[in-house]
Amino acid sequence: MLGLSMMWGVSGASHADVVASIKPLGFIAAAIAQGVTPVTVVLPDGASEHDYALRPSDVRRIKSADLLVWVGPEMESFITRSASQLPDNKNLELTALPVIQSHLVAETGDDHDHASTHAVALKSVKSSERELSDSHSHQGTHNMHIWLSPEMALLSATAIHDRLVQLMPAQKATLDSNLSQFIANLQHADEGIRQQLNTVKDKRYYVFHDAYTYFEQHYGLSPLGYFTVNPEIQPGAQKLHEIRTQLTEHKAQCVFAEPQFRPAVIDAVSRGTGVRKGTLDPLGSNISLSPDSYVKFLSQLSSQYVSCLKPMN
């Protein structure tokens, strides 16, 4: 049996190589492709999907991939041109799938009222062939951080499974088993994470950018808002004044930064308020690809919330 370091990083002539645009999609793909084919990730650790530029080696890797897995042009614009040059059966654009589109929520400005939303229980999704849509109706109006939704992660895993079965029908039994194990692991982790986050679900906080809506809705968290929708654009003076007012009135327990973005604006706005500062990593940059890396990713994110939101003694 091949070691994980061989399975996830090295291309072999007898394998259909899977290339994921970002690490969380690599986590999901690694679980499905376990024992079948290598999985690699384009976006390097520490980089942002919002402003990355492909290197020549990235372009070559995508061009030679047997399957590219990505969210879509509204999220990874850096990969759009290379993806368009691949045959349809090798280009798995997840937000172009109707089953994923039906779960997307609109960007809602500063409105973070989750009272009208509800967490959808994870359930087994039947494996079925799903073709890519030819149109893109999002145009930047929807939240594209789909990997932060446990339910859409499960749907993405199913889509990856289906496409790999098409590419490697002889491996169907292994791929079926891997998908079943992924579903079971995710359901188990989901229950534990929900219990962990129940202890802080009423605590209010700010995040740096609007990446966490699906995770927050699924687990019933209570954000006050975010500094910016696009992390490449600094928030304006009025926005910062509103946040500062909320912090000085002690309406927030915590302000979260991110490893990819450490804006001085967070320090400046929170200075002197007594509000705690934490870090959320929406890309799992310190987690290595493995069969259980997506579950580790969700668990780590949950712990990052709790570490800053837990009641102070």
Side-chain angles (χ1 to χ4, degrees):
M1 182 175 178
L2 291 174
L4 290 181
S5 61
M6 294 178 64
M7 279 303 303
W8 306 128
V10 179
S11 173
S14 61
H15 297 296
D17 296 287
V18 177
V19 175
S21 58
I22 57 176
K23 218 170 186 184
L25 297 186
F27 297 156
I28 299 170
I32 304 306
Q34 179 188 8
V36 174
T37 182
V39 177
T40 60
V41 175
V42 175
L43 188 72
D45 287 341
S48 168
E49 72 277 15
H50 295 282
D51 65 353
Y52 185 65
L54 288 179
R55 300 167 298 185
S57 59
D58 296 326
V59 175
R60 290 193 296 270
R61 182 151 48 117
I62 293 169
K63 184 177 181 180
S64 63
D66 285 290
L67 181 62
L68 171 67
V69 182
W70 61 308
V71 176
E74 295 83 2
M75 176 56 63
E76 313 103 313
S77 59
F78 65 87
I79 217 164
T80 304
R81 181 176 179 181
S82 294
S84 69
Q85 297 172 357
L86 293 174
D88 283 350
N89 69 327
K90 294 185 177 183
N91 179 6
L92 184 52
E93 181 188 327
L94 293 169
T95 54
L97 302 176
V99 69
I100 297 289
Q101 288 181 356
S102 66
H103 288 79
L104 296 177
V105 300
E107 294 283 12
T108 55
D110 290 334
D111 181 11
H112 259 279
D113 180 8
H114 294 164
S116 63
T117 64
H118 62 279
V120 180
L122 288 173
K123 57 185 179 296
S124 178
V125 177
K126 290 185 178 180
S127 175
S128 61
E129 181 177 342
R130 298 188 178 96
E131 295 299 329
L132 289 174
S133 168
D134 290 331
S135 63
H136 306 288
S137 60
H138 319 308
Q139 298 177 351
T141 61
H142 290 81
N143 190 310
M144 293 292 161
H145 299 83
I146 63 173
W147 65 91
L148 289 164
S149 160
E151 185 174 30
M152 281 193 278
L154 190 152
L155 295 170
S156 299
T158 302
I160 294 168
H161 162 275
D162 295 352
R163 193 59 60 87
L164 288 178
V165 169
Q166 292 177 18
L167 292 168
M168 298 178 290
Q171 300 289 341
K172 184 178 186 302
T174 300
L175 292 166
D176 288 352
S177 176
N178 289 348
L179 178 60
S180 296
Q181 189 63 52
F182 180 82
I183 293 170
N185 290 347
L186 185 53
Q187 288 175 329
H188 178 73
D190 182 62
E191 294 171 2
I193 291 170
R194 190 175 299 280
Q195 291 177 8
Q196 183 182 30
L197 290 175
N198 273 344
T199 63
V200 297
K201 66 179 182 180
D202 296 325
K203 302 296 181 181
R204 309 307 297 273
Y205 60 90
Y206 279 95
V207 295
F208 175 54
H209 91 285
D210 187 27
Y212 307 94
T213 299
Y214 296 118
F215 188 89
E216 292 166 344
Q217 290 182 354
H218 185 83
Y219 292 111
L221 299 178
S222 304
L224 274 171
Y226 44 83
F227 282 70
T228 180
V229 172
N230 183 348
E232 300 305 316
I233 301 176
Q234 291 294 319
Q238 181 178 351
K239 175 75 170 180
L240 294 178
H241 176 72
E242 292 172 358
I243 294 174
R244 173 77 181 180
T245 299
Q246 295 283 336
L247 298 185
T248 55
E249 294 177 356
H250 305 290
K251 293 184 178 180
Q253 177 84 17
C254 185
V255 176
F256 289 103
E258 297 177 13
Q260 296 82 13
F261 303 97
R262 296 190 178 276
V265 68
I266 288 182
D267 291 333
V269 171
S270 61
R271 187 175 297 120
T273 64
V275 175
R276 303 169 76 179
K277 287 183 288 186
T279 300
L280 299 175
D281 184 356
L283 294 175
S285 56
N286 65 326
I287 299 174
S288 300
L289 268 63
S290 69
D292 61 350
S293 52
Y294 183 72
V295 166
K296 289 180 179 177
F297 165 66
L298 290 183
S299 297
Q300 174 175 280
L301 191 61
S302 174
S303 295
Q304 289 169 342
Y305 272 100
V306 171
S307 66
C308 196
L309 294 175
K310 64 185 177 183
M312 289 182 286
N313 296 327

